[in-house]
Amino acid sequence: MTGVLLPADQVTMQVYTSREPEDPEFTVDSILPFLGLGATECDLNHYVLPMQTSVQTYVCPALEAAESKWIPWDTTLEDSFRLHMLVCDREVFVSMRHFASLHNYVINLGGGNPANRILTYVELHCLPPTETVEVLGRMHKTLRKLRDDVAILKTEVRLLRRTFGQALENLAANYEELAPLVGLVAPPHIQGDPHGADDAEQAD
């Protein structure tokens, strides 16, 4: 059997969910009471971020990708994904890990025949403060590079507009019929005042 070395700030749990007709549909927040947590109130959302990955993904998703992996608390537990709970407070993580250990890191939801159960793997992660600093540093570096790229592109656009304008002027100088098409001179039908021309003819 191949073992997987997990960091100290990560705990793996197994959640068995009954699929008997008389049992309710168990969701992510059904696990919370077993971890010493109450309902999914706003305070909890400030500290714990539920995420979903493939079953084979043991490690915590990168902090930059956390938003794309986020799932609501009322997501139904399935055996087709691995649930990750990213805990942003050390004390909350230690408390959750303690309550998980009281259940030997195994949670059974519902009764019925054990054969009619599905297994969902749950990973508890504690977000190291250093990772937040590293992410902010990478974001700042990327922002500075994007600003430099935008400045270069603006300069290139100005040069292209100038070159294109000069090319159009040269083209219109050699081919007068093209000038109205590029907006360098007014088309013949709007040059001057047509009403004034009619008045002059009537006066004659």
Side-chain angles (χ1 to χ4, degrees), residues 82-129:
R82 184 177 293 262
L83 174 63
H84 298 261
M85 291 188 180
L86 180 60
V87 186
C88 302
D89 184 273
R90 181 72 184 179
E91 293 184 3
V92 175
F93 172 79
V94 171
S95 175
M96 294 173 66
R97 183 176 60 185
H98 169 70
F99 279 95
S101 66
L102 296 179
H103 300 280
N104 201 25
Y105 305 103
V106 177
I107 297 175
N108 291 290
L109 297 175
N113 189 347
N116 193 19
R117 290 173 174 267
I118 64 169
L119 170 61
T120 303
Y121 287 99
V122 179
E123 306 291 337
L124 299 182
H125 307 275
C126 183
L127 176 64

Coordinates of all heavy atoms in Angstrom, one line a residue, residues 82-129:
R82 N -13.6 15.3 -4.1 CA -13.0 15.4 -2.8 C -13.3 16.8 -2.3 O -13.1 17.8 -3.0 CB -11.5 15.2 -2.9 CG -10.8 15.2 -1.5 CD -9.3 14.9 -1.7 NE -9.1 13.5 -2.2 CZ -8.8 12.5 -1.4 NH1 -8.6 12.6 -0.1 NH2 -8.6 11.3 -2.0
L83 N -13.7 16.8 -1.0 CA -14.1 18.1 -0.4 C -12.9 18.6 0.4 O -12.3 17.9 1.1 CB -15.3 17.9 0.6 CG -15.7 19.1 1.4 CD1 -16.2 20.2 0.6 CD2 -16.8 18.6 2.4
H84 N -12.6 19.9 0.2 CA -11.5 20.6 0.9 C -12.1 21.7 1.7 O -12.9 22.5 1.2 CB -10.5 21.1 -0.1 CG -9.8 20.1 -0.9 ND1 -8.5 19.6 -0.6 CD2 -10.2 19.4 -2.0 CE1 -8.2 18.7 -1.5 NE2 -9.2 18.6 -2.4
M85 N -11.7 21.8 2.9 CA -12.1 22.9 3.8 C -10.8 23.7 4.1 O -10.0 23.2 4.9 CB -12.8 22.5 5.0 CG -14.2 21.9 4.8 SD -15.1 21.6 6.3 CE -16.6 20.9 5.7
L86 N -10.7 24.9 3.6 CA -9.6 25.8 3.8 C -9.9 26.6 5.0 O -10.8 27.5 5.0 CB -9.2 26.6 2.6 CG -8.0 27.5 2.7 CD1 -6.8 26.8 3.0 CD2 -7.9 28.4 1.5
V87 N -9.2 26.4 6.1 CA -9.4 27.2 7.4 C -8.4 28.3 7.5 O -7.2 28.0 7.5 CB -9.4 26.2 8.6 CG1 -9.8 27.0 9.9 CG2 -10.3 25.0 8.4
C88 N -8.9 29.5 7.6 CA -8.0 30.7 7.6 C -7.6 31.1 9.0 O -7.0 32.2 9.2 CB -8.7 31.8 6.9 SG -9.1 31.4 5.2
D89 N -8.0 30.4 10.0 CA -7.7 30.8 11.4 C -7.1 29.5 12.1 O -7.7 28.5 12.1 CB -8.9 31.2 12.2 CG -8.6 31.7 13.6 OD1 -8.6 30.9 14.5 OD2 -8.4 32.9 13.8
R90 N -5.9 29.7 12.7 CA -5.2 28.6 13.3 C -6.0 27.9 14.4 O -6.1 26.7 14.6 CB -3.9 29.0 13.8 CG -3.0 27.9 14.4 CD -2.5 27.0 13.4 NE -1.8 25.8 14.0 CZ -1.3 24.9 13.3 NH1 -1.4 24.9 11.9 NH2 -0.6 23.9 13.8
E91 N -6.6 28.7 15.3 CA -7.4 28.2 16.4 C -8.6 27.4 16.0 O -8.9 26.4 16.5 CB -7.8 29.3 17.4 CG -6.6 30.0 18.1 CD -7.0 31.1 19.1 OE1 -8.3 31.2 19.2 OE2 -6.2 31.7 19.6
V92 N -9.3 27.9 15.0 CA -10.4 27.2 14.4 C -10.0 25.9 13.8 O -10.7 24.9 14.0 CB -11.2 28.1 13.4 CG1 -12.3 27.3 12.7 CG2 -11.7 29.4 14.0
F93 N -8.9 25.9 13.1 CA -8.4 24.6 12.5 C -8.1 23.6 13.6 O -8.4 22.4 13.5 CB -7.2 24.9 11.7 CG -6.5 23.6 11.2 CD1 -7.0 22.9 10.1 CD2 -5.3 23.2 11.8 CE1 -6.4 21.8 9.7 CE2 -4.7 22.0 11.4 CZ -5.2 21.3 10.3
V94 N -7.4 24.0 14.7 CA -7.0 23.1 15.8 C -8.3 22.6 16.4 O -8.3 21.4 16.8 CB -6.1 23.9 16.8 CG1 -5.9 23.0 18.0 CG2 -4.8 24.2 16.2
S95 N -9.3 23.4 16.6 CA -10.5 22.9 17.2 C -11.2 21.9 16.3 O -11.7 20.9 16.7 CB -11.5 24.1 17.5 OG -12.7 23.7 17.9
M96 N -11.3 22.2 15.0 CA -11.9 21.3 14.0 C -11.1 19.9 14.0 O -11.8 18.9 14.0 CB -12.0 21.9 12.6 CG -12.9 23.1 12.5 SD -12.8 24.0 10.9 CE -13.4 22.7 9.8
R97 N -9.8 20.0 14.0 CA -9.0 18.8 14.0 C -9.3 18.0 15.3 O -9.3 16.7 15.3 CB -7.5 19.2 13.9 CG -6.6 18.0 13.8 CD -5.2 18.4 13.6 NE -4.7 19.3 14.7 CZ -3.5 19.9 14.7 NH1 -2.7 19.8 13.7 NH2 -3.2 20.6 15.7
H98 N -9.4 18.7 16.4 CA -9.7 18.0 17.7 C -11.0 17.2 17.6 O -11.1 16.0 18.0 CB -9.7 19.0 18.8 CG -10.2 18.4 20.1 ND1 -9.5 17.5 20.9 CD2 -11.4 18.6 20.8 CE1 -10.3 17.2 21.9 NE2 -11.4 17.8 21.9
F99 N -12.1 17.9 17.2 CA -13.4 17.2 17.1 C -13.3 16.1 16.1 O -14.0 15.0 16.3 CB -14.5 18.2 16.7 CG -15.0 19.0 17.9 CD1 -14.4 20.3 18.2 CD2 -15.9 18.5 18.7 CE1 -14.9 21.0 19.3 CE2 -16.4 19.3 19.8 CZ -15.8 20.5 20.1
A100 N -12.6 16.2 15.0 CA -12.5 15.2 14.0 C -11.8 13.9 14.6 O -12.2 12.8 14.4 CB -11.7 15.6 12.8
S101 N -10.8 14.2 15.5 CA -10.1 13.1 16.1 C -11.0 12.3 17.1 O -10.8 11.1 17.3 CB -8.8 13.6 16.8 OG -9.2 14.4 17.9
L102 N -11.9 13.0 17.7 CA -12.9 12.4 18.6 C -13.7 11.3 17.9 O -14.2 10.3 18.5 CB -13.8 13.4 19.3 CG -13.1 14.4 20.2 CD1 -14.1 15.4 20.8 CD2 -12.3 13.7 21.3
H103 N -13.9 11.5 16.6 CA -14.7 10.5 15.8 C -13.7 9.6 15.0 O -14.2 8.9 14.1 CB -15.6 11.3 14.8 CG -16.6 12.2 15.5 ND1 -17.8 11.7 16.0 CD2 -16.6 13.5 15.7 CE1 -18.5 12.7 16.5 NE2 -17.8 13.8 16.4
N104 N -12.4 9.7 15.4 CA -11.4 8.9 14.7 C -11.4 9.2 13.2 O -11.1 8.3 12.3 CB -11.7 7.4 14.9 CG -10.5 6.5 14.6 OD1 -9.3 7.0 14.7 ND2 -10.7 5.3 14.2
Y105 N -11.7 10.4 12.9 CA -11.7 11.0 11.5 C -12.6 10.2 10.5 O -12.4 10.2 9.3 CB -10.2 10.9 10.9 CG -9.2 11.7 11.8 CD1 -8.4 10.9 12.7 CD2 -9.2 13.0 11.9 CE1 -7.5 11.6 13.5 CE2 -8.3 13.7 12.7 CZ -7.4 13.0 13.5 OH -6.6 13.6 14.4
V106 N -13.6 9.7 11.1 CA -14.7 9.0 10.3 C -16.0 9.5 10.8 O -16.4 9.5 11.9 CB -14.6 7.4 10.5 CG1 -15.7 6.8 9.7 CG2 -13.2 6.9 10.0
I107 N -16.8 9.9 9.8 CA -18.2 10.4 10.1 C -19.2 9.6 9.3 O -19.0 9.4 8.1 CB -18.3 11.9 9.7 CG1 -17.3 12.8 10.5 CG2 -19.7 12.4 9.9 CD1 -17.3 14.2 10.1
N108 N -20.2 9.1 10.0 CA -21.3 8.4 9.4 C -22.6 9.2 9.4 O -23.0 9.7 10.5 CB -21.5 7.1 10.1 CG -20.4 6.1 9.9 OD1 -20.2 5.6 8.8 ND2 -19.6 5.9 11.0
L109 N -23.1 9.5 8.3 CA -24.4 10.3 8.2 C -25.5 9.4 7.7 O -25.4 8.8 6.6 CB -24.2 11.4 7.2 CG -23.1 12.5 7.5 CD1 -22.9 13.5 6.4 CD2 -23.5 13.2 8.8
G110 N -26.5 9.3 8.5 CA -27.7 8.4 8.2 C -27.4 7.0 8.6 O -26.3 6.6 9.0
G111 N -28.5 6.2 8.6 CA -28.4 4.8 9.0 C -28.6 3.9 7.8 O -28.2 4.2 6.7
G112 N -29.2 2.8 8.0 CA -29.5 1.9 6.9 C -28.3 0.9 6.6 O -27.4 0.8 7.4
N113 N -28.5 0.3 5.5 CA -27.5 -0.8 5.1 C -26.2 -0.2 4.7 O -26.1 0.8 3.9 CB -28.1 -1.5 3.9 CG -27.2 -2.7 3.5 OD1 -26.1 -2.9 4.0 ND2 -27.8 -3.6 2.7
P114 N -25.1 -0.6 5.4 CA -23.7 -0.1 5.0 C -23.4 -0.2 3.6 O -22.6 0.6 3.0 CB -22.8 -0.9 5.9 CG -23.6 -1.4 7.0 CD -25.0 -1.6 6.4
A115 N -24.0 -1.2 2.9 CA -23.7 -1.4 1.5 C -24.3 -0.3 0.6 O -23.8 0.0 -0.5 CB -24.2 -2.7 1.0
N116 N -25.3 0.4 1.2 CA -25.9 1.5 0.4 C -25.4 2.9 0.9 O -26.2 3.8 1.3 CB -27.4 1.4 0.6 CG -28.2 2.3 -0.4 OD1 -27.6 2.8 -1.4 ND2 -29.4 2.7 -0.1
R117 N -24.1 3.0 1.0 CA -23.4 4.2 1.4 C -22.4 4.6 0.4 O -21.8 3.8 -0.3 CB -22.8 4.0 2.8 CG -23.7 3.9 3.9 CD -23.0 3.5 5.2 NE -23.9 3.5 6.4 CZ -24.1 4.6 7.2 NH1 -23.4 5.7 6.9 NH2 -24.9 4.5 8.2
I118 N -22.1 5.9 0.4 CA -21.1 6.4 -0.5 C -20.0 7.1 0.4 O -20.3 7.5 1.5 CB -21.6 7.4 -1.6 CG1 -22.1 8.7 -0.9 CG2 -22.6 6.8 -2.5 CD1 -22.4 9.8 -1.9
L119 N -18.8 7.1 -0.1 CA -17.7 7.7 0.7 C -17.2 9.0 0.0 O -16.9 9.0 -1.2 CB -16.5 6.7 0.7 CG -15.2 7.2 1.2 CD1 -15.3 7.6 2.7 CD2 -14.1 6.1 1.1
T120 N -17.2 10.0 0.8 CA -16.6 11.3 0.4 C -15.4 11.6 1.3 O -15.5 11.6 2.5 CB -17.7 12.4 0.6 OG1 -18.8 12.1 -0.1 CG2 -17.1 13.7 0.1
Y121 N -14.3 11.8 0.6 CA -13.1 12.2 1.3 C -13.1 13.7 1.6 O -13.4 14.5 0.7 CB -11.8 11.9 0.5 CG -11.5 10.4 0.5 CD1 -11.9 9.6 -0.6 CD2 -10.9 9.8 1.6 CE1 -11.6 8.2 -0.6 CE2 -10.6 8.4 1.6 CZ -11.0 7.6 0.5 OH -10.7 6.3 0.5
V122 N -12.7 14.1 2.8 CA -12.7 15.5 3.2 C -11.3 15.8 3.8 O -10.8 15.1 4.6 CB -13.8 15.7 4.3 CG1 -13.7 17.2 4.8 CG2 -15.2 15.3 3.8
E123 N -10.8 16.9 3.2 CA -9.5 17.4 3.7 C -9.6 18.7 4.4 O -10.3 19.6 3.9 CB -8.6 17.6 2.5 CG -8.4 16.4 1.5 CD -7.6 15.3 2.2 OE1 -6.9 15.5 3.1 OE2 -7.8 14.1 1.7
L124 N -9.1 18.8 5.6 CA -9.0 20.0 6.4 C -7.6 20.6 6.2 O -6.6 20.0 6.4 CB -9.3 19.8 7.9 CG -10.6 19.2 8.2 CD1 -10.7 19.0 9.8 CD2 -11.8 20.0 7.7
H125 N -7.6 21.9 5.8 CA -6.3 22.6 5.6 C -6.3 23.8 6.4 O -7.3 24.5 6.6 CB -6.2 23.0 4.1 CG -6.4 21.9 3.1 ND1 -5.3 21.0 2.7 CD2 -7.4 21.5 2.4 CE1 -5.8 20.2 1.8 NE2 -7.1 20.4 1.6
C126 N -5.1 24.1 7.0 CA -4.9 25.4 7.7 C -4.0 26.3 6.8 O -3.0 25.9 6.3 CB -4.2 25.1 9.0 SG -4.0 26.6 10.0
L127 N -4.6 27.4 6.5 CA -3.9 28.3 5.6 C -2.7 29.0 6.3 O -2.9 29.8 7.2 CB -4.8 29.4 5.1 CG -4.2 30.5 4.2 CD1 -3.7 29.9 2.9 CD2 -5.2 31.6 3.9
P128 N -1.5 28.7 5.9 CA -0.3 29.4 6.5 C -0.3 30.8 6.2 O -0.5 31.2 5.0 CB 0.9 28.6 5.9 CG 0.3 27.4 5.2 CD -1.1 27.8 4.8
P129 N 0.0 31.7 7.1 CA 0.1 33.1 6.8 C 1.2 33.5 5.8 O 1.0 34.4 5.0 CB 0.5 33.7 8.2 CG 0.1 32.7 9.2 CD 0.2 31.4 8.6

